[in-house]
Amino acid sequence: MPGESRQPRTPPARISSKRVPGGLFSLTASVGSRQFITIAVLVFVALGLAWWIVTKAGWVTPLFLPPPGKVMARLQELAVSGKLLDDMLISIYRISLGFLISTAFALPIGILIGSYRAWEAMIEPLVDFIRYMPVVAFVPLTILWTGTGDAQKFLIIFIGTFFQQVLLVMDNVKSVPRDFINLGRTLQMPESRILTRIILPSAMPGIWDSMRISLGWAWTWLVVAELVAATSGLGYRITTAQRFFQTDTIFGYLLLLGVLGLATDQAMKWGSRKLFRYLRQSR
Amino acid sequence: MTASKLVISNLGKTFRGDRGDVVALSGVDLTLGENEFVSLVGTSGCGKSTLLSIVAGLESHDAGSVTIEGKPISSPGLDRGVVFQSYTLLPWLTTLGNVEFALLAAGKSRKEARDIARGHLSLVGLDGFADAFPSELSGGMKQRVAIARALSYRPNMLLMDEPFGALDALTRHHMQELLARIWEQHRLTVLFVTHDVEEAVYMSDRVAVMSNRPGRIKRIINIDLPRPRTYEMMGSLEFTRLQREVLAEIRAESIAIAALGDALA
């Protein structure tokens, strides 16, 4: 039986970044995962160091940019008192539920309008229309509608993420190759099965990535909602700190938000690698 | 020729667009006998893929008729296996899973599907790759899985749309030999679209040359080379003569396009 698999396979040439003209910073240079992490960590360290030097040298007023040591001490103080954990838990609760509600609506609608052009005509322009309305302008309205409780936070997260998610999911579904759908047709699969057995699994890695990206925005809208009207949460703490010029608290919480965001993002990326193992080329 | 399997008569297809209509096919007549291997060749854009899509039931037509064993076709069906140029292996399924997918859609039980799928993977020489994912396969291997999948549910006609068009020359030759072997052992009616004249002559019983837009069958050339076809035959005088004959017909079309271009310029 002829077959190219029989031919001796030459092992893929190891592309070392050193051998590529221009080294690490040439267009096609490969960067190993260890190298990647090292570079990423170095950037954080460098920024931290710059922060420390700038404050240590007294080039800026501590009120504008408090030294890292003071920020850390403040965070520790809040952690010991239990406030930090309380703020974090309530905010995580709000974003989890808000994001889930938004996703629960965005997935079916995005899949629907990505698969059927008639539904797209009905919904897509409307979504685009609302998408351009600034979310912040909805804050007073949402307070009027739902008060200042958790429901208002969910609503702001929903308005901020749902309309973006729908369009992202629609694009993910649209990028399913036409031939995949034609394959289902030639196998005489009913439309509903083509949708569930071909279109959905095919669009899934892209949808997952869209969720990862929109989760980042959800964090922003949560803090916006908490800044304006809340009695708890990370955003609330930042507002109170602002009243007393406690810039160390503000900086501490900003860092904390960054860490939380980075952690969820990494978790989503890890999940993607586990769920869509088949996409990786290992041979 | 034995009994007619596929009869295309006076077929017409017009694509309607915002910038005017394009007549893709007009007055196409072609008949395929039972277990006959026919290639469709022509310049790019002559409508050969459109014709194949219509036979597959994936595209509608607006004039004439297409019948299989006397019954007009209007939708895709399990009686026709289709192999697309773009492999169309589902990336989340293994090689075996991809073949099983078709068999399960065709109503086979899990057990049956597994056995038949294994058998067909070995038919295309991929026994050792049942658990590999498409991302781990070369282009030629992917297309072999696609062929195994299209044959697995026993369609009585195979429609292939430039199946080897994306492969390198060496792999393409391997695939042509493999398909010729399979076809010679398990005869079935094949409509094969290609732009590779050598491939068309090597594989086919007859080669149908299409004219430019609007596409129609310009000439049908019988390939009276003996079976089984061997790779050595490609060097024979008769092979070269047939190849030249087909090429001359296509070339006349290309020249017509160039002349038309000059006239418009």
Side-chain angles (χ1 to χ4, degrees), chain A residues 157-168:
Chain A
I157 293 173
F158 182 88
I159 296 170
T161 37
F162 168 79
F163 299 98
Q164 317 286 339
Q165 281 181 326
V166 166
L167 293 186
L168 288 172

Side-chain angles (χ1 to χ4, degrees), chain A residues 1 4 179 278 280-282, chain B residues 86 91 135-136 138 140-141 178:
Chain A
M1 189 72 63
E4 67 276 26
D179 278 349
Y278 56 81
R280 267 188 295 169
Q281 203 154 344
S282 60
Chain B
S86 60
S135 63
E136 302 170 313
S138 68
M141 290 158 97
L178 174 79

Side-chain angles (χ1 to χ4, degrees), chain A residues 64-280:
Chain A
F64 292 172
L65 183 66
K70 205 168 162 243
V71 170
M72 290 306 147
R74 181 78 191 131
L75 271 181
Q76 203 185 347
E77 202 179 299
L78 285 161
V80 169
S81 72
K83 277 182 187 164
L84 185 93
L85 190 68
D86 288 349
D87 291 341
M88 222 164 78
L89 285 180
I90 187 75
S91 287
I92 288 174
Y93 159 73
R94 284 171 185 154
I95 194 170
S96 303
L97 212 58
F99 184 75
L100 276 180
I101 296 168
S102 167
T103 306
F105 280 94
L107 277 183
I109 295 173
I111 290 164
L112 186 76
I113 65 176
S115 306
Y116 300 99
R117 191 93 169 119
W119 284 103
E120 184 188 343
M122 227 177 290
I123 293 169
E124 202 262 355
L126 183 68
V127 168
D128 253 339
F129 174 67
I130 301 173
R131 194 166 71 99
Y132 279 97
M133 299 178 181
V135 183
V136 194
F138 278 96
V139 170
L141 275 177
T142 55
I143 295 173
L144 190 69
W145 292 335
T146 61
T148 56
D150 286 349
Q152 187 256 344
K153 313 294 171 294
F154 300 148
L155 196 54
I156 284 294
I157 293 173
F158 182 88
I159 296 170
T161 37
F162 168 79
F163 299 98
Q164 317 286 339
Q165 281 181 326
V166 166
L167 293 186
L168 288 172
V169 172
M170 179 188 79
D171 272 341
N172 296 140
V173 170
K174 277 192 170 184
S175 65
V176 172
R178 173 62 72 95
D179 278 349
F180 279 16
I181 297 164
N182 280 342
L183 170 73
R185 294 232 163 97
T186 62
L187 295 172
Q188 275 188 307
M189 289 165 74
E191 296 259 297
S192 61
R193 278 184 79 77
I194 291 179
L195 199 63
T196 55
R197 304 299 300 275
I198 294 181
I199 294 178
L200 262 186
S202 178
M204 220 46 214
I207 291 177
W208 185 272
D209 224 33
S210 300
M211 292 308 114
R212 181 174 70 83
I213 290 162
S214 58
L215 188 55
W217 303 333
W219 270 111
T220 308
W221 301 124
L222 167 77
V223 175
V224 165
E226 288 181 343
L227 280 173
V228 178
T231 50
S232 57
L234 295 168
Y236 164 74
R237 189 70 56 204
I238 291 174
T239 321
T240 16
Q242 174 201 333
R243 279 187 208 134
F244 301 104
F245 293 104
Q246 292 166 338
T247 33
D248 45 0
T249 310
I250 298 178
F251 271 98
Y253 269 47
L254 283 177
L255 292 179
L256 182 66
L257 279 164
V259 170
L260 285 173
L262 192 65
T264 40
D265 206 70
Q266 290 301 317
M268 291 290 279
K269 277 187 181 162
W270 179 84
S272 167
R273 279 198 298 273
K274 289 284 150 197
L275 284 169
F276 312 117
R277 226 179 259 265
Y278 56 81
L279 289 177
R280 267 188 295 169

